[in-house]
C-alpha cells in the first residue's frame, strides 16, 4: 500500500510499504477514508524531535473497518469509525481512570502511545491506505454510516477533543474569560470549545491573519496579533487584571514576532502574565524532553526558563499533557450529530495522499489556505 514516510528534515515521501496484518486477536484493519496532517507532525517534519527516518506519519485517522481479529466482538467489517490519536488498552490503571493518553500497556516503559509518532510506541501511522488498530473494540469510536460529516468526524481523532481537553484542564466554565495562545487548528478548537462551554470573552493570539479571522468568525474570539501588539499586555489591559483562564496551543516552538527566533518558554510565561491571580492554565501545546534544534543547551534537554516565582505568587494552577481523546470524543461526536458543533470549519484543503509532500511544505510555512489539510488515500 501507499503511505507517507518520513525521510529526514523537511522530507516526506509517498512510498510503497507492507500492508498491515492482524497480529493479535484484538486487532482490526481500517481502510482509511480521511487522515489529517497535524501541527504535531511538523515538530518531527522540521527535525525538532528524535524521530528516525522510516516512520509512517498519521495519527488523525478515520475510515471503514476492513477486517477484524477473532477477539474483536463489537466491531465488524463495514463499520465507519474514527480512531483517537492515542493508542490505549482499556484496562490499565490510567485507562480505567479515563486517562487514555497515558496508557501503561501500549508503549514499553512509557505512559502513552500514539500512531505514527516518535517515542509513542511501535504503532504505524494512518497517512496511508490502511491502518492496524490494536485493542480495536476499545479504541474505535463508531460513526453513523455513509459519508455525512466526514470532515467534522475526522476532527474527533485529535484536535477537537484536544482543544476541548485544554478547556477542561483550564476549567473553563460559563462566564469565564479565556486567552488562547495559538490560532492553529488546536487553538481554533480550544476557542470553539470555550465558546461551547459558555466563556464570556475569548482572546486568541497569533500573527497569521487568516487564522485570527477564522477564530473571530467561528468562535466569536477577539483577535490579538502578537506581531502588532504585546499580547499579554494587551490582554491585561482589556480584562482589567487578566483572564480567568488561559490556554497554550503553541508549545515549545513559540516564535518571536519576527518569526526568526524561537523562545521555548514564551507561551508559558505569557500565560503567567495575562492570567489573573488564582486563575487556571491548560497547556496542550507540546513540550519535549529532547529537542535537537533547541536554541540553548538546557532547552535541548527540555529545561526551560519558566517564571515559577510569579506563577506561585499568583497561585495559578496548570494542567498539561497529551489529551485523553476518549474522555471527550463520544460527547463531541454527539454534538456534531445533533448539529450543535461543526469543527470542520477549520479544514481548508482535502488532497490526494500523493500530494502530501507539497501539503506538508505549505502547512509548515503556515501559508494561507493551509490551516488544516486532510489527506484522501482513495483520490
Ligand atoms: N496535547 C495534545 O494532545 C496535542 C494534540 C495535538 C497537537 N498538540 C500540539 O499543539 C500545538 C498546536 O498544534 P497545531 O496543529 O494547532 O499547530 P500549528 O503549528 O498549526 O499552530 C501553532 C500556531 O501558533 C502560532 N504561534 C507561533 N508562535 C506564537 C506566539 N509566540 N504567540 C502566539 N502564537 C504563536 C503559529 O503562528 C501557529 O498558527 C503543537 O505544539 C502540537 O504539537 C498537542
Ligand atoms: Zn494531531
Ligand atoms: Zn491502558
Amino acid at each position: 500500500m501507499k503511505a507517507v514516510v518520513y525521510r529526514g528534515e523537511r522530507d516526506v515521501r509517498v512510498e510503497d510499504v507492507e500492508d498491515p496484518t492482524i497480529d493479535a486477536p484484538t486487532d482490526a484493519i481500517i481502510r482509511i477514508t480521511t487522515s489529517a496532517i497535524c501541527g504535531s507532525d511538523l515538530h518531527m517534519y522540521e527535525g525538532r524531535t528524535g524521530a528516525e527516518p522510516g516512520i509512517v506519519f498519521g495519527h488523525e485517522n478515520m475510515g471503514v473497518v476492513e477486517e477484524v481479529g477473532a477477539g474483536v466482538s463489537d466491531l465488524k467489517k463495514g463499520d465507519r469509525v474514527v480512531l483517537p490519536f492515542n493508542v490505549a488498552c482499556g484496562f490499565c490503571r490510567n485507562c480505567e481512570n479515563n486517562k487514555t493518553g497515558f496508557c501503561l500497556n501500549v508503549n514499553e516503559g512509557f505512559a502513552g502511545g500514539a500512531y505514527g509518532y516518535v517515542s509513542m510506541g511501535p504503532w504505524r501511522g494512518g497517512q496511508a491506505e490502511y491502518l492496524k488498530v490494536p485493542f480495536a473494540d476499545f479504541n474505535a469510536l463508531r460513526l453513523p454510516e455513509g459519508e455525512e460529516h466526514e470532515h467534522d468526524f475526522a476532527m474527533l481523532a485529535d484536535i477537537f477533543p484536544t482543544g476541548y481537553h485544554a478547556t477542561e484542564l483550564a476549567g473553563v466554565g460559563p462566564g469565564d474569560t479565556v486567552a488562547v495562545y495559538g490560532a492553529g487548528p488546536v487553538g481554533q478548537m480550544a476557542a470553539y470549545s470555550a465558546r461551547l462551554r459558555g466563556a464570556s470573552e475569548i482572546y486568541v493570539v497569533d500573527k497569521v491573519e487568516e487564522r485570527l479571522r477564522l477564530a473571530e468568525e467561528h468562535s466569536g474570539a477577539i483577535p490579538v496579533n502578537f506581531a502588532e501588539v504585546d499580547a499579554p499586555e494587551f490582554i491585561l489591559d482589556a480584562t482589567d487584571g487578566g483572564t480567568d483562564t488561559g490556554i497554550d496551543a503553541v508549545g515549545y516552538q513559540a516564535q518571536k514576532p519576527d518569526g526568526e527566533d524561537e523562545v521555548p518558554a514564551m507561551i508559558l510565561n505569557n500565560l503567567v502574565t495575562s492570567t489573573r491571580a488564582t486563575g487556571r492554565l491548560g497547556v496542550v501545546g507540546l513540550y519535549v524532553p529532547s529537542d535537537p534544534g533547541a536554541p540553548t543547551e538546557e532547552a535541548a534537554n527540555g529545561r526551560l526558563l519558566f517564571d515559577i516565582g510569579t506563577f506561585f505568587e499568583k497561585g495559578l494552577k496548570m494542567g498539561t499533557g497529551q489529551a485523553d481523546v476518549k474522555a471527550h470524543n463520544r460527547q463531541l461526536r454527539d454534538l456534531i450529530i445533533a448539529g450543535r458543533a461543526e469543527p470542520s470549519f477549520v479544514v481548508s484543503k482535502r488532497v490526494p495522499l500523493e500530494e502530501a509532500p507539497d501539503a506538508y511544505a505549505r502547512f509548515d510555512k503556515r501559508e494561507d489556505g493551509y490551516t488544516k489539510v486532510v489527506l484522501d488515500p482513495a483520490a
Side-chain angles (χ1 to χ4, degrees):
M1 68 166 185
K2 299 253 180 270
V4 176
V5 182
Y6 175 66
R7 283 292 159 212
E9 193 180 319
R10 291 195 166 80
D11 182 5
V12 293
R13 300 181 201 168
V14 179
E15 296 178 2
D16 286 310
V17 303
E18 299 229 332
D19 288 347
T21 50
I22 301 274
D23 303 311
T26 46
D27 290 347
I29 307 288
I30 311 295
R31 174 173 56 79
I32 297 292
T33 55
T34 301
S35 184
I37 304 177
C38 180
S40 294
D41 294 323
L42 293 182
H43 304 306
M44 294 190 288
Y45 179 76
E46 293 175 7
R48 294 295 299 278
T49 66
E52 298 283 343
I55 295 190
V56 172
F57 282 173
H59 59 268
E60 302 194 2
N61 304 312
M62 76 179 283
V64 174
V65 176
E66 181 75 16
E67 190 186 344
V68 296
V72 174
S73 55
D74 199 40
L75 285 182
K76 58 181 191 314
K77 186 176 161 86
D79 284 346
R80 186 187 188 208
V81 296
V82 61
L83 295 319
F85 76 84
N86 324 104
V87 177
C89 73
F91 50 78
C92 72
R93 168 200 289 235
N94 288 341
C95 283
E96 282 193 339
N97 286 329
N98 235 355
K99 305 280 185 201
T100 51
F102 302 87
C103 176
L104 300 169
N105 285 325
V106 294
N107 188 2
E108 186 121 28
F110 197 86
Y115 302 96
Y117 213 85
V118 57
S119 308
M120 295 302 269
W123 315 107
R124 198 160 66 177
Q127 291 173 9
E129 290 174 273
Y130 295 92
L131 174 74
K132 178 174 88 170
V133 176
F135 304 109
D137 278 330
F138 182 69
N139 283 305
L141 177 71
R142 251 178 305 165
L143 302 169
E145 278 176 37
E147 289 172 7
E148 207 190 350
H149 292 307
E150 180 80 7
H151 289 170
D152 290 311
F153 291 143
M155 300 302 107
L156 291 171
D158 182 351
I159 61 165
F160 193 16
T162 295
Y164 191 87
H165 192 67
T167 63
E168 183 82 15
L169 290 173
V172 176
D176 281 342
T177 53
V178 191
V180 179
Y181 287 87
V186 172
Q188 298 290 335
M189 292 294 111
Y192 193 66
S193 300
R195 186 179 212 182
L196 284 172
R197 292 165 72 113
S200 59
E201 277 180 2
I202 304 164
Y203 296 85
V204 170
V205 183
D206 207 301
K207 64 175 179 181
V208 183
E209 277 299 327
E210 184 188 58
R211 296 181 174 197
L212 290 170
R213 293 285 87 76
L214 204 63
E216 196 176 11
E217 184 182 343
H218 294 275
S219 306
I222 300 157
V224 183
N225 187 326
F226 75 92
E228 289 168 4
V229 298
D230 180 314
E233 289 301 328
F234 178 92
I235 293 167
L236 270 180
D237 285 348
T239 52
D240 196 18
T243 54
D244 301 304
T245 62
I247 288 169
D248 177 347
V250 181
Y252 72 110
Q253 288 196 256
Q255 294 179 345
K256 283 187 176 172
D258 64 15
E260 293 297 321
D261 299 319
E262 290 179 11
V263 185
M266 184 196 305
I267 304 301
L268 298 174
N269 292 335
N270 284 352
L271 284 169
V272 169
T273 303
S274 69
T275 311
R276 70 170 174 81
T278 76
R280 306 170 302 272
L281 312 180
V283 177
V284 292
L286 192 70
Y287 292 87
V288 289
S290 147
D291 172 5
T296 66
E297 205 182 311
E298 286 78 19
N301 295 306
R303 302 204 172 98
L304 309 185
L305 283 171
F306 175 54
D307 290 344
I308 184 72
T310 309
F311 177 79
F312 179 93
E313 202 170 71
K314 285 179 132 178
L316 299 174
K317 288 194 181 65
M318 175 160 76
T320 64
Q322 300 285 343
D324 307 302
V325 168
K326 268 195 72 93
H328 314 296
N329 65 355
R330 185 177 301 271
Q331 294 89 329
L332 297 176
R333 174 199 66 186
D334 292 345
L335 279 178
I336 293 168
I337 293 171
R340 297 178 78 91
E342 215 173 335
S344 61
F345 75 81
V346 80
V347 176
S348 37
K349 279 229 169 21
R350 181 177 181 86
V351 305
L353 196 68
E354 277 71 22
E355 289 177 25
D358 177 63
Y360 265 92
R362 291 171 187 274
F363 176 49
D364 186 44
K365 296 190 191 104
R366 276 81 183 176
E367 274 186 26
D368 278 355
Y370 286 83
T371 297
K372 187 75 178 171
V373 181
V374 299
L375 301 173
D376 177 356

